[in-house]
Amino acid sequence: MRAFIGLVLAMGIVKKSSIESYWEASGISETPNFRDVMSRNRFQAILRYLHCSNNTTAVPRGQPGYDPLHKINPVVEFFNEVFELNYR
């Protein structure tokens, strides 16, 4: 999981047009570090099946209290708390 999160954070720094392009093996825009950490297929499988919230407790779209970011809010809140405690 640490490797996956590290790659996601690195994707915020290194901007590319698609997820697949981070694993390209040739050309001037090659990013070999991504291939060294994990395969593209493994990254995409984790991305596909990783869930951070319970969809049954989410407020439906159009209802008061609906949050379009409800699927990632638990992760964002966790990182905000950790960063606040550890930032110097």
Side-chain angles (χ1 to χ4, degrees):
M1 265 332 269
R2 289 181 186 177
F4 176 81
I5 292 171
L7 289 176
V8 170
L9 292 175
M11 286 177 174
I13 297 168
V14 179
K15 302 286 186 182
K16 298 223 175 184
S17 60
S18 67
I19 289 177
E20 292 81 11
S21 63
Y22 290 95
W23 278 267
E24 288 179 351
S26 62
I28 194 165
S29 64
E30 178 181 8
T31 48
N33 294 339
F34 282 79
R35 288 191 317 274
D36 294 342
V37 174
M38 75 172 58
S39 72
R40 182 194 71 220
N41 291 344
R42 181 174 179 167
F43 179 86
Q44 288 179 322
I46 294 170
L47 187 62
R48 181 178 299 120
Y49 296 112
L50 179 67
H51 291 276
C52 303
S53 69
N54 185 354
N55 289 338
T56 60
T57 61
V59 177
R61 186 181 303 235
Q63 299 293 324
Y66 170 72
D67 182 10
L69 299 176
H70 75 275
K71 291 189 177 195
I72 62 167
N73 264 344
V75 175
V76 171
E77 290 172 8
F78 169 77
F79 279 114
N80 282 340
E81 290 173 14
V82 170
F83 291 155
E84 187 176 318
L85 290 173
N86 294 299
Y87 179 75
R88 297 184 201 284

